[in-house]
Amino acid sequence: MKKAVITLITGADKGIGFETAQALGKKGQHVLIGARNQERGEKAVKQLKAAGIKADFVQLDVTKKEQIKAAAKQIQADYGYLSILINNAGIAMDHHEPASQLSTDTIRQDFDVNYFGLIDVTQAMIPLLKAGKPAKIINLSSNMGSMGLASDPNSRFYKVNSLGYQSSKAAVNFATIIFSKELAADGITVNSVNPGWTATGFGGRPEDAPKLEGMQDVATGAAQVIKMASLPLDDKTTGTFTENAGTLPW
């Protein structure tokens, strides 16, 4: 009997995370909704179950190590393994202030969620992914974290200044490269995905705010994540940085 695909998505109670959960659930994956807000997480699970999707809530604030450990223990007890980890939780606390003036306190907030939270969750879930191998890790990064684009005078990102957010996402990409090399022998692939500028509540933006010019809808933002998470578990694609349009420079 083919075992179920168990997929944990952090920050999955809204936005791209929830859209991804819906799509993967409809494909037959059992989605675990990782969320720091219990009420919102349980509401998301209720919506998914109403649509016939197998879903459960996992209390998971990626900045709290004890909660991460508890989540891993819960998944171990309830399922015994994990097939896919999607590190979706993220924030953007800086708002294009000059790098010379941006507080390191703000930068630390970006890194606590986007980088250190991702690392802590990944390290805690690796034993479960090894138990479920072949398995996948998908890290949500950003084209704003591409050093290739940021240093290219012909790129629209050349004049963008968001030191905390951009640095944290560049760090995510480096983590993707390092983990992909370490975990290859264990049958675990690791890839970065850029969802693009999407109309969500990300970065403190009101969730019901109208789309700004150039923004895409949530379905478009989640498309590449869903594509990567829908590849066969034994697909060998690893160490990549992609978006809907194709490959991105690191």
Side-chain angles (χ1 to χ4, degrees), residues 7-216:
T7 302
L8 171 65
I9 308 172
T10 64
D13 56 312
K14 58 183 178 179
I16 289 173
F18 183 72
E19 184 74 19
T20 300
Q22 286 189 100
L24 296 180
K26 288 176 182 177
K27 290 175 179 285
Q29 296 185 20
H30 187 142
V31 292
L32 306 182
I33 302 300
R36 60 190 178 90
N37 184 299
Q38 183 174 353
E39 182 179 354
R40 292 183 63 135
E42 290 179 344
K43 181 181 178 182
V45 166
K46 186 176 180 180
Q47 286 181 256
L48 294 171
K49 286 184 173 180
I53 293 170
K54 292 181 180 178
D56 289 297
F57 170 66
V58 176
Q59 185 85 49
L60 187 52
D61 182 333
V62 303
T63 66
K64 296 182 178 178
K65 288 189 177 184
E66 289 306 313
Q67 209 169 94
I68 294 170
K69 291 177 183 178
K73 287 181 180 179
Q74 177 186 337
I75 295 168
Q76 174 64 49
D78 292 347
Y79 313 101
Y81 66 94
L82 197 58
S83 309
I84 303 173
L85 167 63
I86 301 178
N87 285 307
N88 168 76
I91 59 171
M93 298 304 295
D94 45 334
H95 300 287
H96 306 287
E97 299 94 332
S100 58
Q101 298 173 24
L102 182 63
S103 167
T104 53
D105 291 337
T106 299
I107 296 172
R108 285 189 180 93
Q109 287 181 286
D110 284 317
F111 269 81
D112 280 345
V113 175
N114 299 344
Y115 183 68
F116 292 116
L118 179 148
I119 298 296
D120 283 336
V121 171
T122 299
Q123 290 177 341
M125 300 301 161
I126 282 174
L128 290 162
L129 291 162
K130 287 182 177 181
K133 67 181 181 181
K136 300 179 181 301
I137 299 171
I138 300 169
N139 297 325
L140 265 74
S141 183
S142 172
N143 44 19
M144 289 179 67
S146 164
M147 289 189 284
L149 293 177
S151 59
D152 179 0
N154 297 313
S155 167
R156 63 192 177 96
F157 296 101
Y158 186 72
K159 294 184 179 181
V160 172
N161 292 301
S162 191
L163 179 62
Y165 180 73
Q166 288 181 277
S167 298
S168 70
K169 289 302 187 179
V172 166
N173 282 345
F174 207 100
T176 294
I177 294 169
I178 295 294
F179 277 118
S180 71
K181 291 187 286 187
E182 178 182 343
L183 298 175
D186 294 303
I188 301 170
T189 60
V190 190
N191 294 283
S192 279
V193 169
N194 166 50
W197 194 30
T198 307
T200 68
F202 183 76
R205 188 172 182 273
E207 290 185 51
D208 58 353
K211 282 171 49 176
L212 299 175
E213 184 178 355
M215 274 188 167
Q216 60 193 9

